[in-house]
């Protein structure tokens, strides 16, 4: 593709060199530059891509996009100065891949909790409806039946547009995509055209990156601010931040709710371990998912399908047969009727949602034993809060390791312990080794008790000092429960 085509719509501050040249690849990583490629010099949190410009030219880059022009220019290289390399990368990646988001119905889902479940359910629903569909999520990316491992909730702009291009090439009509706050702040979705946006909820998370809750809120809101008037914006009206998301959007404004008036309304009739009985828009339906938080997720899916023009009864019938995303309220049990629940809950609000759901379903005589940890190199401010929430809603709590990454797991647990009140200390244990923590919980459990294993959900690894070791929460929990005689 010609450089002048790739530069379409980019705000250029200065340009030195020829724009009439063929481009074969894009890269923002100096190690992956090939011949006849564009290198984007990006100022990141760890390093500044501008220091690698000469190195990438030697590797074959013929175009450099940068925020600061180098002191010396090399012959036969085109230099493009922009105000923000992140924004330029998003727009140019979309152009390079033929703007695939304009050729597919792309729906973005954002919020603190529920994104993966909503996206996965929409993907499964639309497959059942007979469409070719794509999915971009935390758990995995998928093009119809082909699974592509996910490394980020929202991929970088090059990978994202390449993925969308493949979806278009295989005939996908829809793509359902999780949109993280990081992706919005880092302009990973720049240049994409959305048919709709869905907001689930907002609570404490990612303050290591955003620094303040207000910044986190603004990142989510920016997604809706950027939606075109041809799109829809569907928000949870029971979350006070739902109205904020709609303040400046040009999209068609729609709401869903359990507690107040909304465009799409539901009522919980019954909530038990086998599933949810809901009344949605005056239709009584039983679903396989559990908990009030999943009532919201199901309602978001239903509302999205209605806004995309599907038949009401057909959608509800198909939704009733679907299961949620892996690692979201996954439960197992043994011969002693001890129930184990694996959930990705890794924010205070998500932990409370899962535990309150268990509280609603439990008979009252059984113990709730929660095993919980916090990830390293992530938001430290939520650690004591998560421990406090777990203690307030459980009969016993075991504080353990999650993905410590480069941090000392013992130090992480100590920061969690700061949130344990004196009255809750008697029911709290600290076992840093995650497998030992699970084993201990299973031995403490009596027939009928409920064990919640929170934090890692679908992940099949534990990351320690940059190395990922195989660790599957559900696998370990099932194994330990079956060892109890």
């Amino acid at each position: 593709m010609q450089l002048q085509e790739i530069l379409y719509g980019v705000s250029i501050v200065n340009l030195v060199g020829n724009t009439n040249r063929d481009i074969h690849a894009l890269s923002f990583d100096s190690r992956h530059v090939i011949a006849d490629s564009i290198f984007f010099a990006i100022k990141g949190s760890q390093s500044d891509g501008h220091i690698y410009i000469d190195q990438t030219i030697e590797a074959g880059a013929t175009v450099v996009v940068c925020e600061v022009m180098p002191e010396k220019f090399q012959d036969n290289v085109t230099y493009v100065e922009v105000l923000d390399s992140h924004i330029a990368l998003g727009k140019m990646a979309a152009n390079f891949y033929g703007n695939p988001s304009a050729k597919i119905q792309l729906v973005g889902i954002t919020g603190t909790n529920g994104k993966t479940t909503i996206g996965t359910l929409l993907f499964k629903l639309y497959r059942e409806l007979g469409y070719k569909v794509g999915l971009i999520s935390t758990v995995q990316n998928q093009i119809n039946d082909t699974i592509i491992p996910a490394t980020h909730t929202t991929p970088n702009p090059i990978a994202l547009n390449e993925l969308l291009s493949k979806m278009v090439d295989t005939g996908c009509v829809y793509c359902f995509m999780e949109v993280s706050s990081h992706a919005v702040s880092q302009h990973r979705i720049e240049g994409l055209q959305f048919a709709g946006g869905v907001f689930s909820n907002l609570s404490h998370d990612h303050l290591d990156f955003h620094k303040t809750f207000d910044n986190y809120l603004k990142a989510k809101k920016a997604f809706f601010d950027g939606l075109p008037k041809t799109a829809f914006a569907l928000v949870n009206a029971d979350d006070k931040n739902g109205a904020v998301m709609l303040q400046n959007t040009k999209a068609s404004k729609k709401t869903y709710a359990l507690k107040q008036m909304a465009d799409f309304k539901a009522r919980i009739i019954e909530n038990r371990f086998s599933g949810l009985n809901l009344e949605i828009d005056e239709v009584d339906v039983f679903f396989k998912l559990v908990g009030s938080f999943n009532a919201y997720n199901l309602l978001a899916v239903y509302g999205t399908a209605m806004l995309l023009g599907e038949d009401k009864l057909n959608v509800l019938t198909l939704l009733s047969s679907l299961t949620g995303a892996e690692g979201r309220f996954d439960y197992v049990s043994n011969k002693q009727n001890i129930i184990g629940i694996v959930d990705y809950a890794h924010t205070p609000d998500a932990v409370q949602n899962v535990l309150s759901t268990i509280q609603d379903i439990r008979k009252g005589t059984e113990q709730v034993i929660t095993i919980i940890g916090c990830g390293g190199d992530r938001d430290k401010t939520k650690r004591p809060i998560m421990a406090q929430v777990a203690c307030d809603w459980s009969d016993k709590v075991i504080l353990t390791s999650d993905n410590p990454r480069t941090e000392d797991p013992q130090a992480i647990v100590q920061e969690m312990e700061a949130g344990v009140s004196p009255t809750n200390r008697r029911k709290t244990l600290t076992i840093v080794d995650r497998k030992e923590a699970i084993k201990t919980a299973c031995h403490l459990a009596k027939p009928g008790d409920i064990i919640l294993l929170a934090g890692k959900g679908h992940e099949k690894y534990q990351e320690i000092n940059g190395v990922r070791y195989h660790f599957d929460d559900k696998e370990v929990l099932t194994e330990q429960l079956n060892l109890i005689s």
Side-chain angles (χ1 to χ4, degrees), residues 253-283:
K253 301 174 182 180
K254 300 293 179 180
T255 57
Y256 65 95
L258 294 178
K259 300 175 182 176
Q260 55 187 300
M261 292 301 295
D263 296 296
F264 304 104
K265 190 88 169 63
R267 180 174 65 88
I268 297 175
I269 298 170
E270 193 173 6
N271 181 17
R272 52 185 187 268
F273 277 119
S274 57
L276 273 168
N277 192 5
L278 299 180
E279 182 187 273
I280 293 186
D281 280 354
E282 301 180 347
V283 180

Side-chain angles (χ1 to χ4, degrees), residues 132-144:
K132 291 184 177 180
V133 192
L135 173 68
I136 300 173
S137 82
T138 303
V139 176
Q140 64 192 26
N141 301 320
Q142 198 162 344
I143 303 175
N144 297 315

Side-chain angles (χ1 to χ4, degrees), residues 448-483:
D449 285 352
I450 302 163
I451 298 171
L452 170 63
L453 180 49
K456 289 173 57 58
H458 64 280
E459 294 176 350
K460 302 292 191 293
Y461 63 85
Q462 188 170 32
E463 187 174 335
I464 304 169
N465 290 323
V467 180
R468 289 188 173 188
Y469 301 91
H470 176 76
F471 197 100
D472 183 331
D473 271 3
K474 190 173 182 180
E475 180 184 288
V476 175
L477 181 58
T478 303
E479 173 191 295
Q480 293 301 319
L481 283 174
N482 289 336
L483 287 175

Side-chain angles (χ1 to χ4, degrees), residues 241-379:
N241 298 298
V244 177
M245 300 298 142
L246 297 179
Q247 283 175 355
N248 303 108
T249 188
K250 296 184 286 291
S252 174
K253 301 174 182 180
K254 300 293 179 180
T255 57
Y256 65 95
L258 294 178
K259 300 175 182 176
Q260 55 187 300
M261 292 301 295
D263 296 296
F264 304 104
K265 190 88 169 63
R267 180 174 65 88
I268 297 175
I269 298 170
E270 193 173 6
N271 181 17
R272 52 185 187 268
F273 277 119
S274 57
L276 273 168
N277 192 5
L278 299 180
E279 182 187 273
I280 293 186
D281 280 354
E282 301 180 347
V283 180
D284 191 336
V285 190
F286 182 80
F287 299 95
K288 292 183 178 180
L289 279 72
V290 180
S292 59
F293 60 96
N294 272 323
Y296 282 106
N297 294 335
L298 287 160
L299 194 49
V301 172
Y302 169 74
T304 300
M306 293 302 97
L307 292 170
L308 290 174
E310 297 302 325
D311 178 75
K312 173 180 175 177
L313 292 179
N314 195 22
V315 165
L316 290 175
T317 301
L318 292 173
L319 258 184
S320 69
S321 67
L322 299 181
T323 54
E326 182 185 5
R328 273 64 176 176
F329 216 90
D330 265 1
Y331 76 93
V332 295
S333 60
N334 65 2
K335 293 177 181 177
Q336 286 73 34
N337 199 31
I338 297 171
I339 294 172
I341 297 167
V342 174
D343 196 274
Y344 189 54
H346 59 283
T347 67
D349 191 55
V351 173
Q352 183 169 326
N353 281 341
V354 175
L355 284 168
S356 64
T357 293
I358 293 170
Q359 198 77 345
D360 289 342
I361 300 171
R362 67 187 293 198
K363 296 172 184 175
T365 54
E366 65 277 67
Q367 291 186 106
V368 176
I369 304 170
T370 298
I371 310 161
I372 191 166
C374 289
D377 303 332
R378 297 293 186 270
D379 185 358

